Amino acid sequence: MDIRQTLGNNLKHYRALADMSQAALAVKMGVDRAHVSSMERGQQNVTIITLWHAALALDVAPNKLLEEQADG
C-alpha cells in the first residue's frame, strides 16, 4: 500500500477514535480542513512536521500514523 494511503487511513481511524471532525483536527493542527481531507484520501505528501502536528493533535505516537494495519 502507498504510504500516503496508509497515513490517510490511520489519520481517519485515530480521528474517529477521538470523536473529532476534520475541522476540529485541522484547527488543532493549524491547517485547513481541506488539507486534512486530502491527507485522509492519500493525496498529500505530508512533511514530517505535519505528521508531528497530526500525532500531537490526536495524542498518538507519530509511528502509529505510519503503521500498516492488518485487514479484518
Side-chain angles (χ1 to χ4, degrees):
M1 181 182 291
D2 184 291
I3 191 67
R4 292 168 297 192
Q5 191 62 52
T6 299
L7 171 64
N9 291 342
N10 289 334
L11 190 64
K12 187 173 184 176
H13 170 77
Y14 286 110
R15 181 176 61 77
L17 284 179
D19 195 29
M20 192 180 301
S21 68
Q22 286 182 345
L25 178 57
V27 167
K28 288 185 91 171
M29 290 177 62
V31 299
D32 188 78
R33 188 215 50 86
H35 189 68
V36 172
S37 175
S38 63
M39 288 171 57
E40 287 187 356
R41 288 181 279 127
Q43 297 179 335
Q44 287 290 324
N45 285 323
V46 177
T47 67
I48 192 99
I49 296 298
T50 302
L51 177 68
W52 177 252
H53 285 261
L56 287 175
L58 294 169
D59 196 28
V60 298
N63 65 303
K64 292 292 188 186
L65 296 176
L66 299 174
E67 291 179 354
E68 287 195 29
Q69 303 296 313
D71 291 341

